[in-house]
């Protein structure tokens, strides 16, 4: 394959910005394409100027990193091309099909670096489609990008470090946080995990958030299992859950749900990258050489879209992938690459301790979902319908289940439901979690109106 | 219902949703304005059920509604503009 044409970076979060800086520093002029209006990715989302909230209010401990990334981007802006509010809706024959505010454009590329990030991993429960139930990431975006709380009395449920961070951000901004309900039992394990000591600053931040929540009188409960979100026809009115043998209920008008993150891999899929099932993160991830190269020549990947390791690692990975790209163009910087690999490796025991011990994915919850619970929000497909399809058809491949049941066939292409659906399918068919496979990505990756496709614009 | 942070002061205007006025503020997404004023974004196509979006990052596609002219619009990524006229059910549709 030829590598003529521009270098394109997809995503302007920590990984994408860091890659752009590296390439610009080497005299290249990459094109950075991003869905958001401002650079920074989901982590450093910012409100429109009219909202006037300070970086410290927005990002807390990460304010200095937010400022640094912002000034990095400003410094390289003259040396790169940047297209905001633009999404790639298809890739074919080394051409990217782009949509910017209803205007379509195709460009060819020589090399491409994916920095597409991650989104929340969700385990559905009864009531999760009602107004007032949102993903944990959504709760954070409402606050950071829109200066809103998702409700007046908010419960955070799920597991993972982000659960405590967002709850703390809400409490600090003045929200009425009713409870943090964690399916894991992190506090009983902290002392038994020496790997956590490899990143004292992140560990102490986490403990700070928990301490602040407790100081503010927020109920923090661990080892819980959700039963249902209680709803009226207007939306969320409460949540029911189990803790040990006890059933409990809390009144609230909003629930934020998140069980860690899952990589956004639709573009990697369209580009034909090889995937492997990662047992630690319990998801399908693109195969890499550990330095940002993928199974397809001229295609590179970095950040949470490659494997969920957080925004600090994403920055290093962005630089490393850009260095690999430059090396493949005959311009090596192996010394720097070795330093970056060392840094990334040094944090992997910490990440593993988080994923496997502190906040393990409670995949058994997916198996316990009641038959009437909606799994696929787009098409309204319930857990019962999926179980029935698996049982009647004798199928365990999620793409086959999709064609029989319409699961994952809606507008989101299974982004929200496929992780839980795979758990459900595997459990029903009594097969390993890798057997259902992954939903194939299809163009257009996100909806485009027919009038735009027909060239009418709007 | 969304709750706006009290200390953030912005220019206020009105958008029409299903023919009724809803308060909106400069810089808000359609979703923020609707959830602060109305409490939902759209009616689900396949059942009698209100939906209010879920991810707020343009991934779940659960917050599409309509301009009264019939064009679809995604509430979490589109900003409000003064005088905007929106519909939570498809204009001219059966639901």
């Amino acid at each position: 394959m030829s590598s003529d044409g521009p270098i394109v970076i997809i995503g302007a979060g920590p990984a994408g910005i860091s890659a752009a800086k590296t390439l610009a520093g080497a005299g290249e002029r990459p094109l950075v394409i991003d869905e958001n209006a401002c650079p920074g990715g989901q982590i450093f989302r910012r409100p429109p100027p009219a909202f006037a909230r300070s970086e410290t209010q927005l990002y807390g401990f990460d304010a200095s990193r937010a400022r640094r990334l912002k000034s990095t981007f400003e410094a390289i802006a003259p040396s790169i091309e940047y297209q905001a509010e633009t999404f790639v809706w298809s890739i074919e024959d080394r051409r990217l099909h782009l949509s910017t505010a209803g205007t379509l454009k195709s460009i060819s590329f020589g090399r491409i670096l994916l920095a597409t990030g991650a989104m929340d991993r969700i385990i559905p429960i009864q009531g999760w489609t009602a107004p007032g139930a949102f993903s944990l990431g959504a709760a954070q975006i409402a606050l950071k990008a829109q200066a809103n709380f998702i409700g007046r009395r908010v419960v955070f449920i799920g597991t993972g470090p982000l659960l405590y961070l967002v709850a703390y951000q809400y409490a600090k901004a003045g929200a009425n946080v009713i409870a943090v309900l964690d399916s894991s039992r992190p506090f009983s394990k902290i002392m038994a995990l020496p790997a956590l000591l490899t990143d004292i600053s992140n560990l102490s931040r986490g403990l700070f958030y928990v301490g602040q929540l407790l100081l503010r009188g927020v109920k923090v409960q661990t080892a819980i299992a959700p039963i249902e979100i209680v709803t009226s026809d207007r939306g969320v009115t409460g949540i029911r859950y189990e803790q040990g043998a006890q059933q409990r209920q809390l009144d609230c008008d909003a629930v934020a749900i998140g069980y860690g993150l899952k990589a956004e891999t639709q573009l990697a899929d369209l580009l034909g990258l090889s995937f492997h099932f990662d047992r630690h993160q319990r998801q399908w991830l693109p195969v890499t050489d550990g330095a940002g190269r993928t199974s397809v020549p001229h295609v590179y990947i970095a950040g949470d879209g490659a494997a969920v390791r957080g925004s600090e690692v994403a920055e290093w990975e962005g630089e490393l992938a850009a260095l690999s790209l430059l090396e493949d163009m005959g311009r090596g910087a192996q010394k720097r690459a070795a330093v970056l690999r060392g840094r990334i490796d040094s944090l992997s025991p910490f990440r593993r301790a988080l994923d496997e011990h502190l906040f393990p994915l409670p995949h058994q919850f997916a198996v316990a979902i009641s038959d009437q619970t909606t799994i696929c929000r787009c098409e309204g497909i319930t857990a019962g319908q999926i179980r029935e399809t698996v049982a009647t058809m004798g199928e365990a491949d999620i793409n086959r289940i999709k064609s029989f049941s319409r699961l994952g066939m809606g507008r989101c292409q299974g982004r929200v439901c496929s992780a839980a659906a795979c758990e459900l399918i595997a459990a029903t068919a009594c097969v390993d979690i890798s057997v259902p496979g992954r939903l194939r990505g299809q163009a257009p990756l996100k909806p485009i109106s027919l009038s735009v496709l027909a060239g009418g614009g709007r | 219902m969304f709750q706006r942070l009290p200390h953030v002061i912005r220019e206020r205007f009105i958008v029409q949703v299903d023919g009724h006025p809803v308060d909106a503020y400069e810089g808000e997404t359609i979703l923020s304005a609707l959830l602060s004023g109305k409490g939902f974004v759209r009616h689900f196509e396949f059942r009698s059920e209100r939906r209010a979006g879920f991810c707020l990052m343009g991934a779940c596609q659960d917050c599409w509604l309509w301009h009264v002219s019939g064009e679809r619009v995604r509430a979490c990524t589109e900003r409000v503009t003064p005088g905007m006229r929106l519909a939570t059910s498809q204009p001219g549709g059966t639901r």
Side-chain angles (χ1 to χ4, degrees):
Chain A
M1 258 194 291
S2 133
S3 60
D4 294 341
I7 301 171
V8 178
I9 298 170
I10 311 291
I17 291 176
S18 167
K21 180 190 173 194
T22 308
L23 292 169
E28 297 295 329
R29 194 177 176 83
L31 165 62
V32 179
I33 293 170
D34 192 49
E35 286 190 25
N36 280 342
C38 308
Q42 299 302 349
I43 178 164
F44 297 124
R45 276 222 180 208
R46 52 185 60 246
F51 287 53
R53 294 188 78 217
S54 76
E55 262 139 4
T56 310
Q57 278 176 315
L58 285 166
Y59 310 121
F61 288 124
D62 287 320
S64 63
R65 279 185 62 224
R67 276 191 286 270
R68 184 167 51 71
L69 264 185
K70 188 173 172 229
S71 56
T72 297
F73 195 85
E74 281 161 5
I76 62 170
S79 323
I80 65 170
E81 304 289 331
Y82 170 53
Q83 285 205 349
E85 295 185 296
T86 298
F87 78 92
V88 183
W89 61 273
S90 183
I91 305 180
E92 49 188 3
D93 302 334
R94 307 190 74 75
R95 286 190 77 77
L96 295 177
H97 298 284
L98 309 175
S99 170
T100 311
T103 308
L104 301 186
K105 191 167 118 178
S106 305
I107 57 163
S108 63
F109 62 92
R111 295 173 193 269
I112 189 166
L113 197 156
L114 301 176
T116 47
M119 65 175 289
D120 299 274
R121 177 153 48 186
I122 301 298
I123 301 177
I125 47 171
Q126 180 66 28
W128 76 299
T129 56
F134 294 94
S135 72
L136 184 58
Q140 200 181 33
I141 290 167
L143 178 58
K144 276 201 257 188
Q146 291 280 289
N148 275 320
F149 300 137
I150 57 167
R152 291 172 195 278
R153 290 163 298 138
V154 185
V155 167
F156 293 86
I157 190 164
T159 197
L162 201 59
L163 194 68
Y164 294 91
L165 170 62
V166 183
Y168 161 71
Q169 288 171 330
Y170 264 59
K172 184 162 168 268
N176 184 4
V177 178
I178 302 293
V180 176
L181 305 176
D182 186 344
S183 60
S184 309
R185 47 178 85 233
F187 311 120
S188 62
K189 295 197 172 157
I190 284 178
M191 291 311 158
L193 286 172
L196 291 175
L197 301 176
T198 58
D199 191 349
I200 294 286
S201 91
N202 262 321
L203 175 63
S204 44
R205 273 186 200 192
L207 291 172
F208 172 83
Y209 300 141
V210 176
Q212 286 291 310
L213 287 166
L214 294 172
L215 271 178
R216 286 164 205 261
V218 174
K219 184 194 287 276
V220 175
Q221 301 211 305
T222 59
I224 64 92
I227 300 171
E228 65 167 338
I229 295 172
V230 186
T231 60
S232 71
D233 56 352
R234 302 184 65 80
V236 173
T237 61
I239 188 158
R240 288 206 307 128
Y241 63 100
E242 275 176 352
Q243 197 185 31
Q246 297 245 307
Q247 287 206 3
R248 298 173 197 274
Q249 179 158 354
L250 294 171
D251 291 337
C252 61
D253 67 352
V255 177
I257 311 166
Y259 293 88
L261 300 177
K262 60 187 265 290
E264 277 277 274
T265 54
Q266 290 82 13
L267 283 176
D269 197 21
L270 283 196
L271 280 160
L273 269 52
S274 300
F275 281 67
H276 69 108
F277 190 78
D278 185 299
R279 297 264 156 202
H280 306 295
Q281 303 207 337
R282 216 173 160 87
Q283 57 184 305
W284 289 91
L285 296 172
V287 174
T288 74
D289 71 340
R293 289 184 189 85
T294 69
S295 59
V296 175
H298 309 144
V299 180
Y300 305 81
I301 194 163
D304 282 352
V308 176
R309 284 187 278 249
S311 66
E312 262 177 302
V313 172
E315 270 190 64
W316 301 333
E317 286 186 348
E319 184 179 353
L320 182 58
L323 290 175
S324 295
L325 188 158
L326 289 166
E327 192 185 353
D328 295 348
M329 293 170 70
R331 302 158 59 186
Q334 280 148 5
K335 216 165 159 186
R336 177 67 184 159
V339 171
L340 289 166
R341 286 184 86 138
R343 275 193 202 165
I344 293 165
D345 290 346
S346 74
L347 282 189
S348 67
F350 184 82
R351 173 52 59 174
R352 212 164 256 204
L354 285 187
D355 288 345
E356 288 177 23
H357 299 289
L358 235 43
F359 303 110
L361 176 73
H363 50 86
Q364 69 281 5
F365 289 179
V367 179
I369 294 171
S370 66
D371 274 346
Q372 76 272 23
T373 301
T374 297
I375 301 296
C376 169
R377 298 175 70 93
C378 298
E379 299 292 308
I381 309 299
T382 64
Q385 287 172 280
I386 297 171
R387 290 190 177 108
E388 201 187 318
T389 308
V390 172
T392 1
M393 300 298 168
E395 287 284 353
D397 176 331
I398 190 165
N399 289 291
R400 299 282 292 159
I401 302 294
K402 174 182 170 180
S403 46
F404 287 125
S405 70
R406 298 192 60 81
L407 162 83
M409 209 178 269
R411 284 190 284 264
C412 94
Q413 299 201 3
R415 280 180 183 83
V416 180
C417 70
S418 65
C422 283
E423 299 286 354
L424 202 56
I425 293 167
T428 309
C430 299
V431 294
D432 182 76
I433 182 59
S434 64
V435 172
R438 58 199 177 83
L439 281 172
R440 285 184 289 267
Q442 278 175 0
L445 288 176
K446 292 186 180 180
I448 302 182
S449 82
L450 283 173
S451 62
V452 168
L453 267 183
R458 42 166 214 195
Chain B
M1 297 279 275
F2 272 23
Q3 188 187 358
R4 295 182 175 103
L5 259 71
H7 62 278
V8 180
I9 296 161
R10 291 160 276 158
E11 194 196 327
R12 190 174 82 168
F13 49 83
I14 298 287
V15 296
Q16 297 286 332
V17 184
D18 300 332
H20 300 290
V22 170
D23 279 345
Y25 289 80
E26 183 193 354
E28 274 189 340
T29 60
I30 294 172
L31 185 135
S32 294
L34 260 64
L35 293 191
S36 299
K38 203 172 164 69
F40 72 99
V41 171
R42 68 177 190 120
H43 297 277
F44 185 46
E45 303 94 312
F46 305 122
R47 280 199 284 271
S48 167
E49 204 177 292
R50 288 176 171 185
R51 289 287 176 90
F54 185 67
C55 78
L56 270 64
M57 56 166 84
C60 77
Q61 318 299 333
D62 203 1
C63 66
W64 287 84
L65 70 166
W66 292 265
H67 289 288
V68 289
S69 57
E71 291 162 69
R72 300 180 63 101
V73 56
R74 188 170 59 198
C76 76
T77 46
E78 193 85 11
R79 301 262 168 84
V80 286
T81 52
M84 198 175 234
R85 294 192 301 147
L86 301 163
T88 61
S89 304
Q90 187 166 15
T94 50
R95 185 165 241 160

